Structures are given as structure tokens and as C-alpha cells.
Amino acid sequence: MTALDQLFVKVRAENRAALIAYIPAGFPSQAGCHRVIAAFIAGGVDAIEIGYPYSDPVMDGPTIQAAAVTSLENGTGAQEVLAALKVASASVPAVVMTYWNPIERFGVTGFAAAIAENGGSGVITPDLTIEESTGWIDATDDSAINPIYVVAPSTKDARLAQVTSKCGGFVYAASLMGVTGARATVSTGAADLVARVRKVTDLPIAVGLGVSTREQAKGVAAYADGVIVGSAFIKAMQDAPSEEAGLAAVTELARELAKGVREGR
Amino acid sequence: MSTSSREDLSAILGHFGPYGGRFVPEALIGALEELEEAHRISQSDPTFLAELAELHRTYTGRPSIITEAKRFAEHAGGARIILKREDLNHTGSHKINNVLGQALLTKRMGKKRIIAETGAGQHGVASATAAALMGLECVVYMGEEDTKRQSLNVARMKLLGAEVIPVTSGSRTLKDAINEAMRDWVTNVETTHYMLGTVAGPHPFPTMVRDFHKIIGEETREQVLALTGRLPDAVLACVGGGSNAIGIFHRFISDPSVRLIGLEAGGDGVETGRHAATITGGTPGVLHGTRSYVLQDENGQTVESHSISAGLDYPGVGPEHAYLHDIGRAEYRAITDAQAMHAFALLSKTEGIIPAIETAHALAGAMQVGNELGKDAIIVINLSGRGDKDVQTAASYFGIPLD
């Protein structure tokens, strides 16, 4: 059982959803990312996703694209991602979220092993299809980490069963058809998708894409096991007049969202 | 039977050895399966095939002719040089073959909106043309850098009724236009078909786009046999994503005596790092939904490509080319900007044909191969596009004042 698996056992016992926060490694700088992680923890997040910045982020909206550019300019590579993972996993369950090519370039078996060595619970791979996953499933099994897949509102029921059967830790349910980024309202499609996923798996289900406020977190927590927030934290850092102010805003936002995930039921 | 009901999921179609496949967000799987099915059915549907053939006869201008380039041949070791004239197709390049096929499929799938990426603008113009012909809404994503290099084609697309969106992210070229098109597609997949312009991307694109272009090689083989009485010694084509090359190569793959040679964009020279020669200078990896050769760094980040030719300025290449390279069936060489521009000028002055700068890479390759094989050889070049769009770039390169 990974630390992430244990977290979901705990939040289910507490009858609430988990708050999962996303930050790319190397944003706003290598040390700055470590300070954001501390701000997350001070604000009470339950788990952290460390993003591996990628040159061609086809699933990301402008906010995360801009953060990835900054991070790559800061020289972020596999070692910096693993260093951030180690910092996060010392306090809360932590995973890496990455497009597939950096894993393939690093070496599939070695990457899974490095995640485990740095205290990581798993890896979210949004552009890895189950058809291309044979080597990856073996590698994550060997390293005892969770392979986490993303499903979408357009995913048909039969395929939901296939994808979730390969999945560990939690199922990442993308709330809408589109790229990452804060939205005024969380798509109503999310609740329908979570209900469809429930029919095919007992795994926890976390909802991502578009959540940025306590009210939205509360709404999602009513039906999901986890609430994933990314762009809103990055925007808080980008919009702040100084890093110090940004970190304070991140902690404050995390506190609000942490209340939200406890108010949903 | 849909792929999702197969027991062995790894046996999904669309692999070329270790290359190809499908590396995309789950949100797109349904659309790719729908497209795969529509394409599969259409390939054995006499109504579809007749409709496409009629369009090619009455609209594209197929079959395209072949032209023997006798004066140019003097600069290519005296070998017989035969040009397959895809430049004479409607819209000025081979790209029309693919877009008419995909536009017919779009209508069959009941979608009303198409999106496309473009580098040089040839695929964007072709897509806008097909959309106008068939009454579809068309949005073309084009790197901001390319909208400047190819402003004439931007105007053409707008005249054809398409919306052109300049892409300002990343290197502002073809790769970033594809990123932006994929973001649009993920968001609007229910109503929108992504009319990908080359033999790359997730399955079924590499196979489907090849199937729409293989007519080039089928015609060429018959025409060359009729003209010369034998098969050619070599077939050459430029390779960016690789659609015109796969189109002319495919019918010849089962003719072992015919050498297949792809010419990549060597930019300032592969050794300088400023190039777009993906097979010559890249390594296996995943980009834009498919596994193939990629220009990438040690962390798997895509490295920006460089070429005087916007249409070849892409850090990836179609997976079937990667496979043909690895099994030794096709050869790939890099041609520098300077070599390509020399061949561009030479064909213009010796044959009265101004080629696209993309195509000029294949012509420069023919000059090398002709000298290697000598005067008894027969060399076929896919003259994939005409150079009207490149007049500004060429004038600037050769110092011809424009006022």
C-alpha cells in the first residue's frame, strides 16, 4: 500500500474528500517550488502532484503553459523533479504528473524506481494510453507505485472499465472536455463521469480541471474522493507582487480549499 | 469490431515495428476510434472511392503528369530525371490528396467544423479549399513566425473563408501550431474533425494520410514504366512530416530494386544543431501522439528545429519513415538550406519550373544521387509543390529587390 492509498483510506473514514495540489517542479524557481510545497502543507493540502514541465504540453491551458516555460528556463529536468518530489513526500503523499516522453527518455523501469526511491507514491500519465502501457505497468508493479490514468467525459463505459483496471491510487477524472485552467463553474459533466466510474471500480476518484474556489471544492467533494487544484495556485504565484506575497496567497487558498473538501457531505 | 473490444490491447493497429501507436489524452480516444472506423469502412466502400476519384479527376487534376527534366539532368550526373508533378494539382501541392479524402470522411462522420495546422501554409490552403468546397467551417492554426514567412498563403486561406489563428507559444512554428490544434480538438472534439496534414500524429493518422497519398506512387509507377519500360533506380522525396514521401514511396516498397531516398532539412548543417533532419539527427521518442524519431534533449524535451523551408521545419517525422529507416528499406539524407536553394534556382533556370523550397531539398538530393549512379540511372523525384508561395523568401535569399 502506498502512502497515497493510505490517505484515501483515511479520508474515507473521515467522510470527506482529499485536497490534492499541483505545482510544476522548477516554478517559480527550484528553491521557490520547494517553498510553494511548504506553503501547500501549511495550508493543509492532503497530497501533492509535482509537474514535470514539458516543451509541448498539449493538455494544458495558458496558465500551466506559462509556468512550464518558466520552469524549463530554470533548467528543470528529471533530477529537479525528483528533488521536489522528495521534499513533498517527506510531509504528504506525493506523485509526479508528466507527459510520457520524459519517462521514455529517462528509461521506463528506472523512472518508476526513481519515483519510489524519492518517496513518491505514483505517477499520473495523461497522454499514456493503456494500449501503450505494457512496460509501464510492469515497471510500476516492480517499484510498488501507483500508475494513475486520466479519464474524460467522452470515455465510454466499456473503456472506463478497461482503463481503471490498469489504474492504482486513484482515478483522475477530467471534469470537462478541454485543457487545464480555472473555470467560473465546474462542469456538471464531472458528477456524471464520477458516477459512471463508480460503477466500474472501487478505486478512489479525484476530479481535476477547473477547480479554484472553496465553493467549487465543496461542490466536487460532495461526490468525489479527491479535489485536484493546479492552475489556481500557479495563478496566485504569478499574480502576486512578490514571491513572499504569492506564498501567503497559496497558503490562504489552500486553507479555503481544505475547508471546502470538508464541507461537501 | 472496435479496438476497445479486442482482448489483446497491445495488438492495436497503427504500429510500424516499435513506432506509431497512440499517445493521447483519453478524451480523444473516442474520436480516434470513430475516425479509424470511418476510414476503414471507406477504403472498401465503392461509393466513397468513386466520389474521391471523381473529385480527383474533375477538381484536383489527377492523374498528375510526369515531366522529364533533361536540362536539369546535366547537373545530376546525366542520369534520367523524371519529375512527378504534384505541383500542378489544384492548390499547388500534393496536400489536396489528403484533405479531400479527410473532408469526405468529416461529412460522413456528421461533423461540420474542421481544424488544421500548417507550416508553409500549403496544408492550410488545401484544408481551407476543401472546407469551402464542402461547406465546412475551417480554422487553421499557424505559428506566428510562419504567418510572417508565408504571408501570401495566410491571405489565400482568408480569401477561401478560413479563420487563421497565429500561434504565439513556443517556437511559433509548425510544432506549436499542432499543439494549439490539439488543444482545440480536445475541447471541441464532438463537433470538430482535426484535419492533420501529415503522416504523423496518433493512429489512424499516419495510416490514413498515407492511404490518401499513395495514389502518387501508384500513378508514378505506371507512368515511368510506360515512358522508360522499366522501374526507376531511385525514388526521391523531401521529408518533413513525410506525407509526400510516403505517398510516392508506398507503391514501390515491394520493388526491392528501387531505392527509396528521403531528403530531410539540414538547415545550417546537421553538425551545427540548427536543422530539422529528424531521422538523420534525432533519437526515438514520442511527440504529438506517436512514437518516432524526435529532435529532443536528454530530458525528452523537444528541441526546436531550423530550416529555411517552413514546411519541413518540424522536429518530428512520420512513424512509418522511422520504421522504413530502421529496417533499411529507405535511406534518409540531410540537405542544407544552401544546397536546397541552389537546386531551387537551378530547376527554375533549366526547366522553367519554380519548385517549393521544401521540394528543392529533393532536387538537391537528386543532384547527389545522379552523380553517384551515373547516366544510365533513372531517378524519379516527387515534385511535391510549386514555389509561388516562396518567391518572397527566395528573392530575399538571392538578393533580388522587391518593391
Side-chain angles (χ1 to χ4, degrees):
Chain A
M1 233 191 179
T2 66
L4 185 64
D5 293 324
Q6 290 165 15
L7 169 68
F8 281 106
V9 171
K10 187 185 113 181
V11 299
R12 276 184 172 178
E14 294 173 5
N15 192 30
R16 67 171 178 98
L19 173 61
I20 305 169
Y22 168 94
I23 188 77
F27 173 84
S29 62
Q30 304 304 340
C33 170
H34 298 187
R35 289 190 285 271
V36 173
I37 291 167
F40 281 160
I41 291 160
V45 310
D46 296 298
I48 294 174
E49 293 177 8
I50 301 297
Y52 194 140
Y54 179 53
S55 52
D56 296 277
V58 298
M59 288 188 62
D60 287 306
T63 304
I64 293 182
Q65 283 179 46
V69 168
T70 301
S71 173
L72 289 172
E73 284 168 1
N74 291 335
T76 307
Q79 295 316 319
E80 289 73 21
V81 171
L82 294 169
L85 178 70
K86 192 168 186 175
V87 170
S89 67
S91 300
V92 291
V95 300
V96 164
M97 182 160 189
T98 178
Y99 291 88
W100 179 248
N101 197 47
I103 296 182
E104 190 151 309
R105 189 70 175 146
F106 189 95
V108 170
T109 307
F111 194 83
I115 294 292
E117 281 159 21
N118 287 282
S121 291
V123 184
I124 306 169
T125 49
D127 64 345
L128 179 66
T129 54
I130 51 172
E131 288 80 1
E132 304 291 347
S133 292
T134 310
W136 178 240
I137 295 292
D138 291 346
T140 52
D141 274 355
D142 290 349
S143 292
I145 60 168
N146 301 130
I148 300 163
Y149 290 86
V150 182
V151 297
S154 64
T155 311
K156 294 185 184 112
D157 290 344
R159 189 164 173 91
L160 281 179
Q162 292 175 326
V163 174
T164 56
S165 74
K166 306 286 182 192
C167 201
F170 65 87
V171 179
Y172 189 129
S175 66
L176 48 77
M177 299 298 287
V179 296
T180 57
R183 305 289 201 286
T185 55
V186 176
S187 163
T188 52
D192 299 338
L193 175 59
V194 170
R196 290 198 296 125
V197 177
R198 292 259 184 245
K199 288 184 188 157
V200 297
T201 181
D202 294 330
L203 281 171
I205 304 163
V207 170
L209 266 60
V211 182
S212 63
T213 67
R214 176 175 170 177
E215 275 306 301
Q216 289 171 335
K218 179 184 168 184
V220 172
Y223 55 84
D225 304 293
V227 178
I228 302 168
V229 180
S231 297
F233 286 122
I234 292 166
K235 203 155 184 323
M237 293 299 293
Q238 288 167 341
D239 291 350
S242 66
E243 186 181 305
E244 203 177 14
L247 293 168
V250 164
T251 296
E252 182 51 33
L253 177 59
R255 282 201 181 109
E256 285 295 300
L257 293 165
K259 287 175 194 161
V261 299
R262 287 166 172 81
E263 295 167 343
R265 301 175 200 167
Chain B
M1 190 166 75
S2 80
T3 51
S4 58
S5 60
R6 288 199 189 114
E7 276 188 29
D8 180 5
L9 290 169
S10 65
I12 187 171
L13 288 170
H15 285 92
F16 305 91
Y19 302 111
R22 208 174 254 173
F23 297 83
V24 292
E26 200 61 33
L28 294 179
I29 293 293
L32 291 169
E33 288 182 346
E34 180 189 16
L35 182 60
E36 178 183 6
E37 189 68 358
H39 171 246
R40 193 186 60 74
I41 291 169
S42 72
Q43 288 301 292
S44 55
D45 176 351
T47 312
F48 179 91
L49 296 174
E51 198 175 350
L52 185 56
E54 180 67 5
L55 274 174
H56 279 329
R57 195 177 64 78
T58 62
Y59 191 72
T60 310
R62 301 210 74 91
S64 64
I65 60 171
I66 57 170
T67 299
E68 184 154 7
K70 290 184 176 161
R71 277 173 33 81
F72 180 80
E74 292 167 18
H75 303 270
R80 282 188 85 172
I81 300 287
I82 295 166
L83 309 175
K84 175 61 172 170
R85 300 293 305 279
E86 292 296 297
D87 62 318
L88 297 178
N89 292 342
H90 181 45
T91 74
S93 80
H94 69 291
K95 295 289 188 188
I96 192 78
N97 302 325
N98 171 43
V99 297
L100 290 177
Q102 287 201 45
L104 287 178
L105 287 181
T106 304
K107 289 180 75 175
R108 288 193 155 205
M109 292 186 294
K111 293 183 173 180
K112 304 263 187 263
R113 177 177 182 263
I114 60 164
I115 54 173
E117 83 294 340
T118 200
Q122 295 298 79
H123 175 60
V125 166
S127 298
T129 300
L133 177 68
M134 305 207 191
L136 301 166
E137 183 191 347
C138 178
V139 173
V140 179
Y141 290 94
M142 187 170 188
E144 190 184 44
E145 186 69 24
D146 292 335
T147 62
K148 290 177 191 157
R149 287 197 273 196
Q150 305 287 347
S151 55
L152 191 62
N153 268 343
V154 175
R156 286 170 80 191
M157 287 182 266
K158 288 180 177 170
L159 288 170
L160 290 161
E163 183 187 356
V164 180
I165 300 181
V167 175
T168 55
S169 57
S171 57
R172 305 178 181 211
T173 60
L174 180 55
K175 135 185 130 65
D176 307 284
I178 294 176
N179 291 343
E180 212 52 44
M182 288 187 81
R183 289 183 189 116
D184 181 317
W185 203 31
V186 168
T187 309
N188 300 302
V189 66
E190 225 166 280
T191 59
T192 299
H193 172 62
Y194 181 13
M195 194 172 271
L196 187 66
T198 191
V199 287
H203 180 62
F205 285 107
T207 304
M208 179 181 70
V209 176
R210 178 201 70 202
D211 287 346
F212 288 138
H213 281 306
K214 67 184 182 187
I215 191 169
I216 303 170
E218 289 166 357
E219 289 176 5
T220 302
R221 195 172 181 280
E222 276 185 29
Q223 290 166 323
V224 171
L225 280 173
L227 178 72
T228 70
R230 70 176 181 89
L231 288 171
D233 296 285
V235 175
L236 275 64
C238 64
V239 177
S243 67
N244 93 80
I246 273 299
I248 197 163
F249 286 177
H250 198 257
R251 182 60 184 85
F252 292 100
I253 288 175
S254 53
D255 296 319
S257 68
V258 181
R259 283 172 65 183
L260 306 175
I261 305 174
L263 290 311
E264 299 192 296
D268 293 342
V270 174
E271 69 288 350
T272 67
R274 290 178 51 81
H275 64 87
T278 310
I279 293 179
T280 309
T283 47
V286 171
L287 176 64
H288 292 146
T290 191
R291 184 184 286 118
S292 185
Y293 281 80
V294 179
L295 299 181
Q296 58 181 330
D297 70 12
E298 70 281 4
N299 284 311
Q301 308 291 347
T302 311
V303 172
E304 284 179 19
S305 54
H306 295 273
S307 171
I308 192 170
S309 146
L312 302 183
D313 199 351
Y314 180 58
V317 65
E320 193 166 5
H321 285 294
Y323 180 63
L324 291 174
H325 167 266
D326 282 13
I327 63 170
R329 181 62 191 93
E331 310 156 46
Y332 297 84
R333 302 180 181 193
I335 296 294
T336 64
D337 287 352
Q339 290 169 325
M341 292 312 290
H342 176 63
F344 175 96
L346 198 61
L347 190 78
S348 302
K349 285 177 180 158
T350 57
E351 300 291 341
I353 299 170
I354 299 178
I357 295 176
E358 290 77 17
T359 310
H361 289 70
L363 293 161
M367 293 167 69
Q368 292 179 0
V369 173
N371 277 302
E372 291 160 21
L373 298 182
K375 62 181 175 53
D376 295 331
I378 298 173
I379 296 170
V380 175
I381 303 163
N382 193 6
L383 205 78
S384 53
R386 64 177 179 234
D388 306 35
K389 70 183 174 59
D390 293 316
V391 168
Q392 209 165 1
T393 305
S396 151
Y397 184 88
F398 292 114
I400 302 167
L402 287 173
D403 29 43

